[in-house]
Amino acid sequence: MKKRSYILAVAAMAAAVMLAGCESKEQGSADNAQNADAGSAAGSSDAALDFKVSDYVKLGDYKGLEVTYPAVLEVTDEDVQQYIQDELEGNTEYEEVKDRAAEVGDVVNIDYSGTMDGEEFEGGTDTGYDLELGSGDFLDEFENSLVGKKTGETAVFKLTFPDDYDASLAGKEAEFTVKVNSISESSVPEYNDEYVQSISECETVKEYEESVREQLETEAEDESETEAREHALRLVMESATLDGYPQQLYDFFYEDTETGYKNYAEFMGMEYEEFLGSYVTEEEIADLALDQTNEYLVTQAILEKEGKEISDSDYKKLAEEMAKENDYDTLEEYENDYGATYVRTQLIREKAIDILYESAKLKEIPYDEYHADDDVDELGSSDGEEVELDLSDEGEGEELDLSELGELELN
């Protein structure tokens, strides 16, 4: 259940980017606080980057590659309105009420415990959980049993999991005891000029909607180009021959990745050990660190092959630009959060991809056709041990995309 909340929180943070034409007034501090210290624990020197790359990498073809990319996705009126609706929901305010029972649309803070044959089952218990009644986050029977309950009251009820639910629970009956700790009613802002002025530099609804459309169109263009650039790098990775890696480099990426996950666990209000059991394993962290290590080796090899490097003056200029793109006021603040070594690895990556992209033979593919063969991540339970039960109608918890999580820091 918290998995869904976390994914929504990440989406909400991503939606807080600056709108072209009218900047958001409430920007930067929340994202920066979330990412604080994400990379600094792994070290701030470039010792991890001190090695002879030719000892580990033999490049294949990397210039003049045929690179396909998706056409820019058209932004529709529906896209604009969905963005606006998401923003309204994100700005919803909640006020605790004590003089009435819970109604559909209220958020109830609950402690719940589920049992089967008198025994608690894995993932069926939690405390202090905020549930919006009518949201469908839990099974309908669960949410409906809390409608009409007042603060301090306890609901005891049975429900049967659907036959298409998770295999370990499908068709089984469970009894739940749920205490209502508090009830809060929601107040969604009215969408008007006054609201627009409160969240942006725009003066009118019309101006705001034009700004939203422009922002979404820019994002669609960026997505298309980013996919072309990443496809070019994937092709080079496939053709390169790698033989081992510098231990210090691997250790750096491992510690950096681990620190990032620890910060996400803290953001979710979970102990890191609990997070490991639900969202990621140590083996997956190791795999991700190895992927990052190999990618860095290849990108560094490309720069050396081209006789390119990032001098100290280049570093300062490019890193300041990167800091600004990520809503930091100064490079020092950016380095304090991520570490100079991490920043340098990202600059090397981008410079190498520039070389690949500029020499590539680009071929545009219709958006739907390009993504037709993508592996669609099922929103199911993770391979790790579940610590919470998802009572949604879908029957399975939503899973973090572990391949992307390490990249969220700078995007």
Side-chain angles (χ1 to χ4, degrees):
M1 293 174 294
K2 286 183 180 177
K3 294 177 185 178
R4 176 181 288 106
S5 300
Y6 174 60
I7 291 173
L8 293 177
V10 171
M13 287 190 290
V17 296
M18 183 181 300
L19 286 174
C22 49
E23 298 178 353
S24 169
K25 290 181 178 178
E26 301 174 359
Q27 177 174 307
S29 59
D31 290 337
N32 295 351
Q34 164 61 22
N35 288 330
D37 298 326
S40 59
S44 59
S45 74
D46 283 347
L49 310 184
D50 185 14
F51 56 85
K52 187 177 180 181
V53 71
S54 59
D55 290 341
Y56 305 98
V57 180
K58 181 179 180 181
L59 291 174
D61 294 334
Y62 67 92
K63 277 191 168 182
L65 301 175
E66 182 171 305
V67 174
T68 59
Y69 67 97
V72 176
L73 192 62
E74 179 185 1
V75 175
T76 65
D77 292 341
E78 289 75 16
D79 294 329
V80 173
Q81 293 305 314
Q82 183 61 57
Y83 180 96
I84 292 170
Q85 184 60 40
D86 291 344
E87 285 288 287
L88 286 168
E89 293 177 1
N91 284 286
T92 297
E93 296 181 351
Y94 298 89
E95 182 176 352
E96 186 174 353
V97 294
K98 300 181 179 180
D99 58 350
R100 65 168 176 79
E103 302 173 354
V104 173
D106 289 339
V107 173
V108 291
N109 181 276
I110 58 175
D111 299 336
Y112 64 88
S113 175
T115 61
M116 289 183 179
D117 299 324
E119 298 289 335
E120 290 189 359
F121 56 93
E122 186 69 31
T125 299
D126 199 2
T127 59
Y129 186 83
D130 289 325
L131 172 64
E132 180 182 346
L133 300 181
S135 64
D137 284 352
F138 284 20
L139 293 173
D140 289 343
E141 297 91 327
F142 190 105
E143 295 188 14
N144 292 339
S145 296
L146 301 181
V147 175
K149 295 297 179 183
K150 294 183 177 180
T151 299
E153 291 186 343
T154 297
V156 180
F157 54 89
K158 295 181 179 179
L159 63 79
T160 300
F161 291 99
D163 291 335
D164 60 353
Y165 202 79
D166 179 82
S168 63
L169 298 175
K172 294 183 179 180
E173 183 182 74
E175 181 174 273
F176 283 91
T177 300
V178 185
K179 180 183 177 183
V180 178
N181 299 320
S182 66
I183 303 169
S184 298
E185 61 182 5
S186 61
S187 175
V188 180
E190 183 178 354
Y191 182 55
N192 53 28
D193 291 349
E194 183 178 358
Y195 163 76
V196 165
Q197 292 165 14
S198 72
I199 65 166
S200 74
E201 296 296 332
C202 296
E203 294 295 328
T204 66
V205 165
K206 180 180 180 181
E207 182 183 350
Y208 180 67
E209 291 181 358
E210 291 173 352
S211 172
V212 169
R213 180 180 296 277
E214 185 177 343
Q215 174 64 25
L216 294 179
E217 289 174 345
T218 298
E219 291 176 356
E221 293 168 0
D222 289 346
E223 177 189 350
S224 180
E225 180 178 326
T226 296
E227 183 55 37
R229 293 167 63 85
E230 294 298 322
H231 185 199
L233 181 57
R234 289 196 299 270
L235 292 175
V236 176
M237 292 296 300
E238 291 170 3
S239 66
T241 301
L242 293 117
D243 183 15
Y245 53 81
Q247 189 64 44
Q248 274 189 300
L249 181 66
Y250 173 83
D251 291 345
F252 165 76
F253 281 116
Y254 186 94
E255 292 169 16
D256 182 75
T257 303
E258 184 180 54
T259 301
Y261 280 122
K262 287 180 177 178
N263 279 303
Y264 282 112
E266 182 179 356
F267 171 76
M268 296 170 69
M270 300 174 67
E271 295 295 329
Y272 183 58
E273 291 72 18
E274 183 184 15
F275 183 89
L276 284 178
S278 293
Y279 295 107
V280 67
T281 66
E282 292 180 347
E283 290 77 12
E284 287 170 325
I285 293 176
D287 288 343
L288 183 55
L290 182 58
D291 288 343
Q292 292 174 314
T293 300
N294 289 340
E295 190 177 89
Y296 177 80
L297 290 171
V298 169
T299 54
Q300 178 62 48
I302 291 170
L303 292 194
E304 291 194 7
K305 185 78 171 179
E306 291 292 309
K308 307 287 187 181
E309 64 177 14
I310 295 181
S311 65
D312 290 343
S313 60
D314 290 337
Y315 173 86
K316 188 174 188 302
K317 178 178 180 295
L318 296 172
E320 284 177 345
E321 292 174 358
M322 183 176 284
K324 183 177 180 180
E325 289 171 359
N326 288 279
D327 304 323
Y328 280 81
D329 293 329
T330 67
L331 174 57
E332 289 71 24
E333 291 176 355
Y334 190 50
E335 288 180 331
N336 284 340
D337 279 0
Y338 292 96
T341 300
Y342 180 82
V343 175
R344 184 174 290 274
T345 64
Q346 299 309 297
L347 294 177
I348 288 172
R349 184 183 195 276
E350 288 303 302
K351 196 173 185 68
I353 293 179
D354 286 342
I355 294 170
L356 305 181
Y357 182 72
E358 290 166 4
S359 69
K361 300 174 183 176
L362 300 175
K363 180 180 180 181
E364 182 180 276
I365 304 293
Y367 187 91
D368 291 340
E369 180 181 334
Y370 185 90
H371 290 288
D373 296 330
D374 286 357
D375 292 328
V376 180
D377 290 331
E378 292 294 334
L379 300 181
S381 59
S382 65
D383 293 333
E385 181 181 349
E386 291 291 339
V387 296
E388 293 186 311
L389 171 69
D390 184 350
L391 298 169
S392 65
D393 291 327
E394 290 82 2
E396 295 185 352
E398 294 187 331
E399 181 179 299
L400 286 174
D401 184 349
L402 300 176
S403 67
E404 298 291 336
L405 188 55
E407 298 178 4
L408 286 176
E409 295 172 351
L410 291 178
N411 293 337

